[in-house]
Amino acid sequence: MHNEEAYLDMLRRILDEGTYRKPEDEEGRYELFAQPLRFDLSANKLPLMTTKKVFFKSLAVEMLWFLSGAQDIEMLKQNKVGIWNIWANEQGVVGPLYGFQWRHWRIDPAVRQHYGGAEEIDQMAQVMKTLAERPEARSHMVTAWRPDHLKLMSIKPCHILLQFYRVDNKVSLMLTQRSCDAYLGVPFNIAQYSLLTHMVAHQLGCEAGEFIWVGGDVHVYENHVEQVRAQLEKPVHGVPTLHFKRKPEDLFSYRYDDFEGR
C-alpha cells in the first residue's frame, strides 16, 4: 500500500497487535518495532494526511530551521512557530540538535589533518554536491545521532538518519526514525521530510521520486487511543501537491513563502 492508507493500517495494527508498556512515571503506550512506509512523491505529491489536521506552516518552518543549522529557536519564534519552546532554555537554545549536526558536524581534533585542518563538516552541503556530481554513490547520508553530544541536547533526536538516492532525474529519500509518536509526530515528519525531498530535487533540477519512512519504536500513547479510533473511521481524500514559486540559489535559501500547496 502507498500513502495515507498504509499509515492508517499501521495505526490499526499498533492498537490491535502492539505490545502494551507502562514504564514508571510515563504514559502507557501500544507499540510495534521496525515499521516501514512508502510514499509516492511523483507529480508534486506531498503526503499531508487528510484524516487529521497537520499544520503545514509549522512543519515547513521547522525544516527551514533545521537547514539553517541553528541551535537557538529565534527563527521559529519570528515565524510564530512554538513547537520547540518547551525544549529551549532561558536563552532560547536547544543545543546541537538536528540542523546543527546536519550543517556543523564537529570533527575530532585528532583526525582534522585528514580533512585539511577543517573543524566541521556540512553534511547537507556535502550530500548536495555528491548527488549532483556522483548520483550513483551509496553514501548520500546525513546523520543527527552523535552520542558524545547527547548530553548537550535538550532532547535526544528522534529522526536520526537520512539516505538520499538518485537515479537519472529522480531523487528519493529514506528516513530512519528511532522513536515515533504515531498519532501526533509521524504524520508531521512524513510531510516534513517529503517536503525536504522535493526541495533537494528542485535544487538539482530533478523530480521527487519516493519518500520511505522507517520507524523503530513506533507507538500510540494510551491517551490517544480514542482519537486514533476516530481517525480510522474518517474517509481518505486526494493527496495534496506542492509547488515552488521560485528557485533560490541553494538549498539553504528557501523561505516559507516559496511554497505553494494545492
Side-chain angles (χ1 to χ4, degrees):
M1 287 183 288
H2 268 262
N3 298 318
E4 190 161 2
E5 291 84 355
Y7 164 73
L8 294 172
D9 180 67
M10 183 182 75
L11 288 181
R12 190 176 292 107
R13 288 186 292 104
I14 293 171
L15 296 187
D16 295 345
E17 305 168 19
T19 299
Y20 177 75
R21 291 185 193 264
K22 179 62 176 73
E24 187 176 355
D25 298 325
E26 293 184 26
E27 179 71 29
R29 61 183 186 258
Y30 297 88
E31 58 187 46
L32 291 175
F33 183 62
Q35 300 299 302
L37 296 172
R38 308 183 80 97
F39 298 87
D40 177 16
L41 303 183
S42 64
N44 301 313
K45 295 188 199 67
L46 184 73
L48 274 170
M49 300 301 167
T50 63
T51 53
K52 76 184 301 288
K53 182 68 174 178
V54 181
F55 293 96
F56 178 76
K57 181 179 180 181
S58 293
L59 67 88
V61 170
E62 185 185 43
M63 178 52 67
L64 296 176
W65 175 62
F66 289 162
L67 290 170
S68 78
Q71 293 194 56
D72 65 74
I73 63 170
E74 185 59 32
M75 177 181 173
L76 297 174
K77 291 169 64 177
Q78 289 176 359
N79 285 275
K80 296 181 171 53
V81 173
I83 53 180
W84 277 90
N85 290 355
I86 190 175
W87 301 112
N89 63 19
E90 293 181 357
Q91 290 72 45
V93 173
V94 297
L97 271 155
Y98 301 105
F100 183 84
Q101 300 298 344
W102 292 4
R103 304 295 314 281
H104 305 287
W105 185 275
R106 294 291 169 80
I107 301 173
D108 183 342
V111 299
R112 283 179 185 164
Q113 70 270 22
H114 300 292
Y115 294 87
E119 296 184 357
E120 60 185 33
I121 296 171
D122 187 333
Q123 297 186 80
M124 193 63 74
Q126 186 171 292
V127 159
M128 292 301 294
K129 180 177 173 64
T130 59
L131 282 168
E133 298 177 359
R134 295 191 62 239
E136 75 283 357
R138 292 162 290 184
S139 53
H140 307 304
M141 312 284 290
V142 177
T143 180
W145 187 261
R146 178 147 189 174
D148 60 337
H149 282 191
L150 293 180
K151 291 187 177 181
L152 306 177
M153 303 176 185
S154 59
I155 184 174
K156 293 177 182 178
C158 294
H159 19 111
I160 59 174
L161 183 66
L162 289 69
Q163 182 170 0
F164 291 91
Y165 181 77
R166 178 178 175 183
V167 174
D168 298 325
N169 71 330
K170 287 197 174 181
V171 175
S172 297
L173 169 62
M174 179 175 70
L175 170 71
T176 302
Q177 187 165 341
R178 67 165 184 90
S179 179
C180 320
D181 180 339
Y183 176 66
L184 287 181
V186 171
F188 194 93
N189 298 135
I190 287 170
Q192 181 174 58
Y193 282 91
S194 295
L195 170 63
L196 176 62
T197 310
H198 279 292
M199 293 167 67
V200 169
H202 187 231
Q203 273 299 305
L204 294 169
C206 296
E207 298 177 3
E210 193 175 23
F211 172 65
I212 301 94
W213 176 90
V214 181
D217 186 318
V218 187
H219 44 270
V220 170
Y221 288 106
E222 196 167 20
N223 63 351
H224 291 156
V225 169
E226 288 187 14
Q227 293 161 284
V228 170
R229 293 289 187 197
Q231 182 181 356
L232 291 172
E233 297 299 318
K234 295 180 180 179
V236 175
H237 299 287
V239 182
T241 58
L242 173 77
H243 301 269
F244 295 98
K245 295 180 182 178
R246 69 175 185 121
K247 184 177 180 179
E249 61 180 353
D250 57 42
L251 181 66
F252 314 110
S253 300
Y254 284 87
R255 303 188 299 259
Y256 175 67
D257 290 343
D258 293 330
F259 310 133
E260 182 177 46
R262 297 177 190 169

